[in-house]
Amino acid sequence: MKTIEHWIAGKPTTGTSDRVGAVYNPATGEQQAEVLLGSVGDVESAIAAAQDAFPSWSQTSVSARTKIMFAFRELVNRHAAEIAELITDEHGKVLSDSLGEVQRGMEVIEFACGIPTLLKGDYSDQVSTNVDTYSFREPLGVVAGITPFNFPAMVPMWMFPVAIACGNTFVLKPSERVPSAAMRIAELWQEAGLPDGVFNVVNGDKVAVDTILDSPDVAAVSFVGSTPIAKYIHERGSANGKRVQALGGAKNHAVILPDANIDFAADHLAAAAFGSAGERCMAISAAVAVGSAGDLILEAVNERARAVQVGSGRVAGNEMGPVVTQAAQERIIGLIGTGEEQGATLTVDGRDLKVPGYENGFFVGPTVIDQVSTSMDVYREEIFGPVLSVVRSGSVEEAIALINANPYGNGTAIFTNSGEAARTFQRGVHVGMIGINVPVPVPMAFYSFGGWKNSLFGDKHVHGPEGVAFYTRAKVVTARWPHVDHASEASFHFPTAK
Ligand code: NAD
């Protein structure tokens, strides 16, 4: 069986750990590889490699760094289909979706190609007589990324293109369930001319993560994953004096107003709820139907849910693949059951779906649950599967209050033809990313991505301008070049401008 190793100091390595994790093909249910679960020593080697590479990389001119970014972008573009296949085989999502993820990740590389402009400082002439002030930003040192299973390429790419372009060196700890894309990306970095040690991948689990969090040689940690782990990462990393941005889970609502185009809303709701089998942090998992929109949207979404083409992500034409593991499949099926037990109505039930030829795959069919209340488990839990709950609401104000009472605040959307309602909504919701007739409002790379409340711990969102700020720190210089004939004008009082 294939063994997936680590990538440290520019080469694959087996490290020292004797622990391994199983990597499955979720469409067939078969184990296809084992991944090394890094030891404390393996992570320390990766951090040491990154530390060794930092002095030279951080001193490499911004122009030279940019050339490597452009070369890397070209290589990722050329190998996009290959990376997408690695993702589909380990995650299960359909190939077109995997390609979409690579494309969205590549947009962050393109953003980072603009690093000469992004790192430009400020200059103020003559702030005091013969005194100028200017500012610039410097990289932090070794920074780490810890990433989830659901976007094996895009989420790491939210982090390392910006971090590396800023002059940092990077240690990535990908999800142990989907490790192959990161290893291929490491090879592409090398081919692009990135010096060895600037980008390292250490595979593993909690042992690897805790070693990163406790290492005095790691300056900052970016995390994306579930809320309990995000909170833990933020607390432990911060307690150890690191900069931490930790993005957590989500419960994303889409509000449908009676004036919305119901067919348009239903098409987009179905794609947002069932695309990637609902395993997206920006998936819509709760439809909040206002007034008379309720029965209409339910009927239209039911129709679409029944029509979704479910099967192996490798088979062209399929729209939705399996979920990632058998444990995820069992958990999702169990949660759907609690919906029924707690009084909701299952209008489309995907629990018994069998895909011919893939009987052992981890499939769950699209599921719609109506008459869901906020006290039910299907509403309170992040299901992370192809399950859409429909909650009825009396008004847009009531819908906003419902969203704001939810502990998560990642994304939300509204379907309406009323500019006034949309504006009330965008100003009223306590959520980081908002879509108006756009169900999955993932910001482009030149904006920053991040949620509110339990969807993000820390104060900086990822990529975009906040990403550059996160991976750098500022210096402000106040300078004077005295002429020999100038009076010194030194004073014992606190300096003030003249
Ligand atoms: P997860 O929290 O289980 O794992 C994320 C990372 O943390 C992995 O690298 C994993 O190895 C590590 N980890 C897991 N348990 C740990 C522990 N006890 N101690 C230390 N490290 C640990 O998340 P997942 O199941 O891989 O991904 C799905 C979750 O990620 C969902 O909750 C989803 O909403 C969230 N997510 C959020 C965003 C966002 O932008 N907010 C984006 C993608 C995914």
Side-chain angles (χ1 to χ4, degrees):
M1 181 165 306
K2 183 180 163 203
T3 299
I4 299 161
E5 304 179 328
H6 314 295
W7 181 274
I8 298 175
K11 52 181 185 302
T13 164
T14 51
T16 60
S17 174
D18 53 6
R19 294 186 310 125
V20 293
V23 179
Y24 288 91
N25 179 331
T28 62
E30 285 162 8
Q31 184 179 349
Q32 55 175 330
E34 59 180 20
V35 60
L36 299 177
L37 300 177
S39 64
V40 171
D42 297 336
V43 180
E44 284 173 349
S45 301
I47 294 170
Q51 246 194 325
D52 288 348
F54 179 71
S56 160
W57 180 244
S58 59
Q59 294 303 318
T60 300
S61 75
V62 73
S63 309
R65 296 203 304 256
T66 303
K67 284 194 174 67
I68 292 172
M69 297 306 300
F70 272 100
F72 179 59
R73 188 267 174 208
E74 283 315 298
L75 284 165
V76 172
N77 191 36
R78 197 179 313 150
H79 293 278
E82 184 195 337
I83 298 170
E85 284 173 5
L86 292 173
I87 296 170
T88 290
D89 288 349
E90 291 179 353
H91 175 286
K93 63 175 80 172
V94 296
L95 264 180
S96 55
D97 195 27
S98 297
L99 265 176
E101 129 161 44
V102 176
Q103 170 65 33
R104 293 304 300 262
M106 206 159 61
E107 287 165 7
V108 182
I109 307 173
E110 289 162 2
F111 169 77
C113 286
I115 202 68
T117 311
L118 295 164
L119 282 183
K120 272 164 78 171
D122 291 323
Y123 193 103
S124 297
D125 174 59
Q126 194 78 342
V127 292
S128 182
T129 307
N130 292 328
V131 175
D132 306 325
T133 293
Y134 47 97
S135 68
F136 58 99
R137 300 188 73 88
E138 290 190 346
L140 305 178
V142 179
V143 300
I146 301 161
T147 51
F149 82 84
N150 66 325
F151 285 106
M154 182 185 79
V155 166
M157 286 187 196
W158 282 353
M159 304 168 181
F160 62 70
V162 180
I164 289 174
C166 287
N168 300 283
T169 55
F170 203 91
V171 175
L172 174 64
K173 206 301 282 172
S175 168
E176 61 274 42
R177 282 175 268 175
V178 291
S180 291
M183 293 297 285
R184 186 68 187 108
I185 286 164
E187 292 170 350
L188 296 180
W189 265 126
Q190 190 171 56
E191 209 178 320
L194 192 74
D196 292 347
V198 177
F199 179 74
N200 307 275
V201 179
V202 60
N203 283 306
D205 54 7
K206 183 172 168 57
V207 171
V209 170
D210 287 350
T211 309
I212 289 170
L213 295 175
D214 293 344
S215 168
D217 300 323
V218 174
V221 175
S222 300
F223 172 87
V224 177
S226 59
T227 288
I229 311 296
K231 198 163 183 293
Y232 164 76
I233 301 274
H234 184 252
E235 284 169 4
R236 189 156 171 172
S238 303
N240 286 327
K242 299 179 198 322
R243 240 178 229 199
V244 184
Q245 52 180 186
L247 282 67
K251 191 83 194 180
N252 305 312
H253 302 73
V255 176
I256 303 97
L257 296 191
D259 69 1
N261 178 326
I262 294 295
D263 279 333
F264 176 90
D267 285 346
H268 284 272
L269 262 183
F274 309 130
S276 201
E279 292 173 320
R280 291 182 186 144
C281 66
M282 291 290 275
I284 295 293
S285 52
V288 186
V290 174
S292 60
D295 291 345
L296 296 173
I297 196 74
L298 180 69
E299 195 189 329
V301 163
N302 284 343
E303 195 183 298
R304 284 152 180 85
R306 291 190 190 103
V308 176
Q309 193 67 39
V310 185
S312 161
R314 282 284 202 149
V315 175
N318 283 340
E319 295 168 307
M320 192 186 114
V323 297
V324 67
T325 55
Q326 189 172 0
Q329 182 192 35
E330 286 166 2
R331 183 179 162 276
I332 295 163
I333 288 174
L335 270 164
I336 296 170
T338 67
E340 206 167 34
E341 285 154 28
Q342 292 169 10
T345 311
L346 274 179
T347 57
V348 182
D349 183 353
R351 286 178 293 181
D352 293 327
L353 177 87
K354 283 279 173 236
V355 176
Y358 295 87
E359 285 76 8
N360 295 325
F362 309 138
F363 290 96
V364 182
T367 298
V368 182
I369 315 182
D370 188 27
Q371 303 295 345
V372 169
S373 74
T374 54
S375 61
M376 293 178 186
D377 290 349
V378 283
Y379 179 81
R380 290 187 311 111
E381 297 279 325
E382 181 186 28
I383 301 176
F384 226 55
V387 181
L388 181 67
S389 297
V390 179
V391 185
R392 308 296 184 114
S393 172
S395 65
V396 69
E397 289 77 16
E398 208 182 288
I400 292 171
L402 182 138
I403 292 169
N404 290 348
N406 192 281
Y408 297 107
N410 214 37
T412 188
I414 187 167
F415 289 96
T416 181
N417 277 315
S418 160
E420 185 190 1
R423 189 166 186 273
T424 301
F425 183 77
Q426 78 185 22
R427 299 190 75 242
V429 285
H430 301 166
V431 176
M433 294 169 285
I434 298 160
I436 296 170
N437 298 310
V438 173
V440 184
V442 175
M444 296 298 285
F446 35 91
Y447 284 80
S448 299
F449 178 110
W452 285 18
K453 303 195 285 187
N454 282 357
S455 296
L456 188 145
F457 302 90
D459 60 353
K460 286 278 182 283
H461 292 188
V462 291
H463 65 67
E466 296 203 19
V468 176
F470 181 77
Y471 290 123
T472 54
R473 51 188 166 184
K475 275 185 173 166
V476 184
V477 181
T478 303
R480 170 195 280 143
W481 293 95
H483 292 268
V484 276
D485 55 347
H486 281 177
S488 102
E489 293 178 347
S491 161
F492 280 68
H493 66 66
F494 197 68
T496 51
K498 295 196 185 78

